[in-house]
Amino acid sequence: SGDVVSAGSSTVFPLAEAMVARFQDEGFSGQITVDSIGSGGGFERFCVEGETDVSNASRGIKASEVESCQAIGRDPIEIRVGTDALAIVVSKDNDFVTGASLEELALIFGPAETWADVNPDWPAEPIQRFIPGTDSGTFDFFVEEVFDENEEPILNASNTQLSEDDNVLVQGVLGSPYAIGFFGYAYYVENEDALTILDVEGVEATAESVDAGDYPLARPLFIYSTASIMQEKPQVASFINFYLSYVNEEIGDVGYFPANPEALESAKQACLDAMGQ
């Protein structure tokens, strides 16, 4: 019983929802809330306001966020729960692009005005861009990998709509054959009948390519809590233990990929250490 409060990454959100549903199905009678507000927003609520028990994140916690946590007496524990492949998508109506290099992605989501500016074989039609908001770990990861951490080109690009709601991005991409967007793989899986996922550097996002580290835009997924929270609220410790015990049975259905066994074992050990076991 009791309550568990979590918030953060929109990418981790569908996985968190699946784990909450299973936890409740198997007998938890308390209340669990999961808010989708972006990784940055989640750390703000966890480390500054101290309002949540669990912070969902599609990127690692920053040093400045750890400092904010410690300033309110929280020492965050990083718990790896899975792996995401960031999906670069166009609508099924797009008949000219099936893949892109990282260099081409930097043009597509940066200074290029039309598709022909990237590749003369592509139409001279304006690129319509749909991207996650700046509070999103997905945005941070993309900027890090494609723009070498310089967010100016993507924020200055024309015809760009930002949203923390991945479903808004999906609808935007579906609206035009000249639109493109990116978000967590699970949102592609939900809409794969209407969307085309692009190969990146000639590599398709699959369980094998992600596990082997071949797909360039794969990244870890995390949840964070603290030893003091888990000790003071045993329902939080129970939920995290349950999460780690059964996440690999749920993660494929959600549309993500399992963390490697070593990372999962390390996360389990960190939780046992936090509970003094």
Side-chain angles (χ1 to χ4, degrees):
S1 63
D3 66 303
V4 179
V5 182
S6 72
S9 166
S10 63
T11 303
V12 178
F13 179 72
L15 178 60
E17 275 198 317
M19 297 314 300
V20 166
R22 181 160 175 172
F23 194 48
Q24 290 173 325
D25 286 348
E26 299 205 11
F28 180 69
S29 59
Q31 183 176 8
I32 306 186
T33 56
V34 186
D35 287 338
S36 174
I37 57 173
S39 297
F43 284 130
E44 178 86 9
R45 202 175 284 183
F46 184 73
C47 290
V48 177
E49 294 152 17
E51 293 176 351
T52 54
D53 305 310
V54 178
S55 200
N56 302 320
S58 58
R59 62 163 172 81
I61 192 169
K62 296 174 182 175
S64 58
E65 291 163 338
V66 172
E67 286 173 16
S68 297
C69 261
Q70 291 171 339
I72 63 166
R74 291 187 157 192
D75 206 6
I77 297 170
E78 183 175 274
I79 301 161
R80 175 79 178 272
V81 293
T83 305
D84 176 30
L86 195 146
I88 314 292
V89 299
V90 294
S91 86
K92 290 282 191 202
D93 295 331
N94 182 315
D95 59 3
F96 58 89
V97 59
T98 57
S101 65
L102 291 173
E103 195 175 336
E104 286 171 330
L105 289 176
L107 291 171
I108 290 168
F109 287 97
E113 294 288 333
T114 72
W115 286 96
D117 292 338
V118 183
N119 183 327
D121 295 334
W122 294 346
E125 295 284 347
I127 301 169
Q128 296 165 272
R129 305 164 171 100
F130 293 87
I131 68 172
T134 55
D135 238 3
S136 165
T138 307
F139 174 88
D140 291 339
F141 177 74
F142 188 83
V143 168
E144 188 177 310
E145 297 297 317
V146 175
F147 291 102
D148 197 23
E149 300 188 12
N150 177 17
E151 60 184 38
E152 275 188 37
I154 193 169
L155 291 179
N156 292 332
S158 58
N159 292 332
T160 300
Q161 181 176 335
L162 291 84
S163 177
E164 300 292 350
D165 186 340
D166 292 319
N167 292 306
V168 170
L169 304 180
V170 170
Q171 292 309 311
V173 173
L174 292 178
S176 166
Y178 306 112
I180 188 168
F182 63 88
F183 33 73
Y185 194 81
Y187 292 90
Y188 159 69
V189 172
E190 270 184 27
N191 299 277
E192 61 185 328
D193 293 345
L195 293 173
T196 297
I197 187 170
L198 304 189
D199 295 349
V200 179
E201 295 287 347
V203 181
E204 182 185 350
T206 64
E208 292 73 29
S209 68
V210 167
D211 196 47
D214 294 335
Y215 183 70
L217 297 179
R219 54 166 177 178
L221 302 177
F222 304 106
I223 60 176
Y224 287 81
S225 192
T226 75
S228 55
I229 292 169
M230 287 192 276
Q231 288 166 11
E232 288 162 19
K233 298 181 75 171
Q235 68 272 26
V236 174
S238 293
F239 175 59
I240 292 173
N241 179 58
F242 183 89
Y243 205 127
L244 290 172
S245 298
Y246 298 106
V247 65
N248 279 359
E249 294 179 15
E250 301 291 335
I251 198 163
D253 290 341
V254 174
Y256 296 134
F257 307 98
N260 65 59
E262 294 81 12
L264 216 51
E265 281 307 312
S266 177
K268 289 177 183 175
Q269 190 58 52
C271 293
L272 289 173
D273 293 345
M275 297 302 293
Q277 294 176 5

